[in-house]
Amino acid sequence: MSLVRVHNFSISLDGFGAGEPQTEDTPMGHAGHRLHEWMTATHAWQHTGGSRGVDNLYTQDTDTGIGAEIMGAGKYGYPGWHDDADWTGWWGSNPPFHTPVFVLTHHPRPPLEMDGGTTFHFIDAAPAEALAAAREAAGDADVRIGGGATVIRDFMAAGLIDYLHAVVVPIVLGHGSRLWDGLEGQEADYQIESICSPSGVTHLTFTRRGL
Amino acid sequence: MSLVRVHNFSISLDGFGAGEPQTEDTPMGHAGHRLHEWMTATHAWQHTGGSRGVDNLYTQDTDTGIGAEIMGAGKYGYPGWHDDADWTGWWGSNPPFHTPVFVLTHHPRPPLEMDGGTTFHFIDAAPAEALAAAREAAGDADVRIGGGATVIRDFMAAGLIDYLHAVVVPIVLGHGSRLWDGLEGQEADYQIESICSPSGVTHLTFTRRGL
């Protein structure tokens, strides 16, 4: 069975995966770039130069063996994008996914084929149903849950996540979108590892027991 | 100037420093012993045997150079202890502080001298005022803020903490008493280090810049 994986999901010390408000100009709200500086500093992100330590290992593992992604409406666009017929996501004509991507939205629209192998599918579906569609599209490969926090939380609460890589960044955001709410006791099903990077972030992995 | 320090303050991944409800039988609420197993497993705690790695280093640093402690009413006793004239804390006749201890309470009572050098002083005071009293009692030595979460948060928000050692335990508690609420942006004043222990916890230290 293919796995359901979360990668590089960065959170503040107080557990927020994004700040607020999210707008077209501020996709991460008041968090700005602070949650992802550890990642954009890596060689895997920069291609020329960049850090080649443990942060890079985690970053380059993001796409390995992934055949489809599921993301929330808030990752695909700013609030209200569904009223904008021309909106095709934040990533330009060649998005970095290169697989089918299932966007969870209450406003489905026809599939959107982009350059480079990415096709966005817009579905209004519960986690298990969305996962079934993504698994079929992924074939033997794994499915990545791309976030945001609410989507990861919903899949985790439904028992559908096999591997969760979260990255704790030492800032206190105070408000935004929380990762851990509603997940009391979920750690019992996972083997957990914490790896502190010299960059200051802590890589936290939850791996389902018995995998 | 002597320092104001927090040691071994253990929190869950979602930032709770204690569970709930707190009662005479369950001082940590539904968290039970889970937040402190890393500490009670150390040589510094057990005296005979126990782990001698990085968890032990942090544990044995707790009392070094400390001349007084400030604690909240919820660390001193169960809710309602102030109606119990015989309550002398959780720790028996010889509490582990061996210094003056200032208990923040809206129900002051006369000082209580215990064996081994601990004297409890019960004061109804704001953070700065309590700290002035504790500093005077501590002489040249440092003052420890003993918790719980609310007290640490109040002192941190007032800019009074020089060194904060928090320990992130990989469990999700879901509810209880949160450490980080109201502290947005406080990290800017501190140098922060994360040290992952083989025991699974992460030691997080905030050291005021320029100390």
Side-chain angles (χ1 to χ4, degrees):
Chain A
M1 182 74 126
S2 67
L3 302 183
V4 180
R5 295 157 42 192
V6 175
H7 286 268
N8 303 330
F9 193 74
S10 300
I11 56 177
S12 60
L13 285 173
D14 43 350
F16 295 105
E20 53 192 11
Q22 190 198 37
T23 69
E24 194 169 349
D25 295 328
T26 60
M28 301 302 289
H30 74 295
H33 299 296
R34 290 179 291 164
L35 289 174
H36 301 101
E37 284 165 350
W38 70 270
M39 184 169 67
T40 55
T42 63
H43 178 72
W45 187 274
Q46 300 192 355
H47 303 300
T48 303
S51 67
R52 290 178 184 264
V54 69
D55 293 346
N56 189 52
L57 286 176
Y58 280 103
T59 301
Q60 71 189 16
D61 191 40
T62 311
D63 294 331
T64 312
I66 294 289
E69 166 157 328
I70 297 171
M71 67 169 64
K75 177 168 173 180
Y76 181 69
Y78 62 97
W81 63 262
H82 57 265
D83 290 328
D84 178 353
D86 296 331
W87 182 259
T88 60
W90 309 95
W91 305 277
S93 63
N94 185 0
F97 306 103
H98 314 299
T99 67
V101 173
F102 294 82
V103 180
L104 302 175
T105 169
H106 298 307
H107 305 274
R109 53 172 67 179
L112 178 62
E113 196 171 331
M114 308 294 288
D115 295 343
T118 299
T119 301
F120 292 112
H121 300 271
F122 303 87
I123 61 175
D124 188 357
E129 189 188 345
L131 181 55
R135 275 212 154 108
E136 191 175 333
D140 290 338
D142 291 348
V143 173
R144 188 175 51 228
I145 308 298
T150 316
V151 173
I152 295 172
R153 213 160 67 200
D154 288 349
F155 278 75
M156 191 94 172
L160 298 174
I161 305 280
D162 297 308
Y163 174 86
L164 166 70
H165 168 227
V167 186
V168 182
V169 180
I171 59 176
V172 182
L173 281 178
H175 53 109
S177 164
R178 279 198 202 273
L179 177 60
W180 302 116
D181 279 9
L183 299 181
E184 178 182 346
Q186 285 277 344
E187 73 279 0
D189 296 336
Y190 296 89
Q191 184 172 358
I192 301 178
E193 240 187 56
S194 296
I195 303 294
C196 291
S197 165
S199 70
V201 305
T202 299
H203 296 278
L204 185 70
T205 54
F206 281 54
T207 306
R208 183 183 294 288
R209 291 183 191 281
L211 274 194
Chain B
M1 182 75 127
S2 68
L3 302 183
V4 180
R5 295 157 42 191
V6 175
H7 285 267
N8 303 330
F9 193 74
S10 300
I11 57 176
S12 60
L13 285 173
D14 44 349
F16 295 105
E20 53 191 9
Q22 191 199 36
T23 68
E24 195 169 349
D25 295 328
T26 60
M28 299 302 290
H30 75 295
H33 299 295
R34 291 180 290 164
L35 289 174
H36 301 99
E37 283 165 351
W38 70 271
M39 184 170 64
T40 55
T42 63
H43 178 72
W45 187 275
Q46 299 191 356
H47 303 300
T48 304
S51 68
R52 290 178 184 265
V54 69
D55 293 346
N56 189 53
L57 286 175
Y58 279 104
T59 302
Q60 70 189 17
D61 192 40
T62 311
D63 294 330
T64 312
I66 295 289
E69 166 157 330
I70 297 171
M71 67 169 65
K75 177 168 173 180
Y76 182 69
Y78 63 96
W81 63 262
H82 55 266
D83 290 328
D84 178 352
D86 296 331
W87 181 258
T88 60
W90 309 96
W91 304 278
S93 63
N94 184 1
F97 306 103
H98 313 299
T99 67
V101 173
F102 293 82
V103 180
L104 301 175
T105 169
H106 298 307
H107 304 274
R109 54 172 69 179
L112 178 62
E113 196 171 332
M114 309 293 289
D115 295 342
T118 299
T119 301
F120 293 111
H121 300 271
F122 303 86
I123 61 175
D124 188 356
E129 188 188 345
L131 180 55
R135 275 212 154 109
E136 191 175 335
D140 291 336
D142 291 348
V143 173
R144 188 175 51 227
I145 308 298
T150 315
V151 172
I152 295 173
R153 214 159 66 201
D154 289 349
F155 278 76
M156 192 94 173
L160 299 174
I161 305 280
D162 297 307
Y163 174 86
L164 166 69
H165 168 226
V167 186
V168 182
V169 179
I171 60 175
V172 182
L173 281 178
H175 53 108
S177 165
R178 279 198 200 274
L179 177 60
W180 302 116
D181 280 10
L183 299 181
E184 178 182 346
Q186 285 277 344
E187 73 279 0
D189 297 334
Y190 296 88
Q191 185 172 358
I192 301 178
E193 241 188 54
S194 296
I195 303 294
C196 291
S197 165
S199 70
V201 305
T202 299
H203 297 277
L204 185 70
T205 53
F206 282 54
T207 306
R208 184 184 294 286
R209 291 183 191 282
L211 273 194

